[in-house]
Amino acid sequence: KRGPCWSNSESSLARPAVRLLSFNAILVVLITIYKLTREEIAPLFVLQCLGHYSNFLVFAALTGFGSHPKIKKGKRGDRRISLAIWTLHLLYAVVLVLGFLWAECAEGNVYPISFVMSDSLFLVSYVMLLYVKKRGFDINDLNDDDDDDTSKEDLEL
């Protein structure tokens, strides 16, 4: 019910929110299809990595398209966060390709290296979230600043 509302919204987060919802819906369909197959390890890795990437995309959408003064691009934004986001996009692409190629079960190997790479990248994303929180991003900051209604509306989506 929220999808059509977002597609008509003028919020800077509306379009990324609809794209993320669509991406996740496709991911759920692919996981369902995978469960009906022979269950090879490489497609399972790809689905897991895309799930981690989807979680990261939520953060990327907030920092790239949100209008909170502490995370938006511009003079007051933290450029290191923007650089880290682009770096993680690239790392997810590399891990996705290499992980697919290296995804195999071997005797004595409890957890394939592909999954370790994907899980490690997810943890790096999480550490970046902690860094942003440490830098002072807090939704409560918006309650004190009544001048910027766009910020409030973006984060209420």
Side-chain angles (χ1 to χ4, degrees), residues 1-144:
K1 198 170 188 181
R2 281 297 219 167
C5 177
W6 281 342
S7 62
N8 296 327
S9 173
E10 293 185 22
S11 166
S12 61
L13 285 178
R15 185 169 281 159
V18 170
R19 287 181 184 154
L20 281 170
L21 287 171
S22 300
F23 178 78
N24 285 321
I26 292 168
L27 192 57
V28 167
V29 169
L30 290 174
I31 290 169
T32 304
I33 291 170
Y34 170 77
K35 293 204 177 265
L36 300 173
T37 66
R38 294 181 1 176
E39 299 185 5
E40 299 288 329
I41 193 80
L44 176 63
F45 162 76
V46 169
L47 293 172
Q48 183 206 30
C49 192
L50 289 176
H52 290 334
Y53 185 62
S54 171
N55 188 15
F56 166 70
L57 286 177
V58 171
F59 174 74
L62 282 174
T63 56
F65 299 99
S67 54
H68 190 286
K70 290 186 180 172
I71 60 173
K72 72 179 181 180
K73 294 179 181 176
K75 295 180 198 170
R76 296 183 293 181
D78 190 335
R79 299 216 183 265
R80 288 177 289 186
I81 295 171
S82 180
L83 177 63
I85 288 172
W86 285 109
T87 302
L88 281 172
H89 280 300
L90 179 64
L91 286 174
Y92 269 106
V94 169
V95 166
L96 193 62
V97 171
L98 290 178
F100 180 80
L101 296 174
W102 295 345
E104 62 181 42
C105 289
E107 191 171 330
N109 187 4
V110 178
Y111 202 64
I113 189 68
S114 299
F115 290 94
V116 172
M117 292 185 328
S118 176
D119 294 342
S120 298
L121 198 50
F122 176 79
L123 289 174
V124 168
S125 300
Y126 183 73
V127 168
M128 188 171 63
L129 290 171
L130 291 177
Y131 170 78
V132 171
K133 180 66 176 173
K134 184 180 175 190
R135 296 283 298 168
F137 170 75
D138 192 350
I139 196 166
N140 294 327
D141 291 344
L142 297 176
N143 296 332
D144 301 333

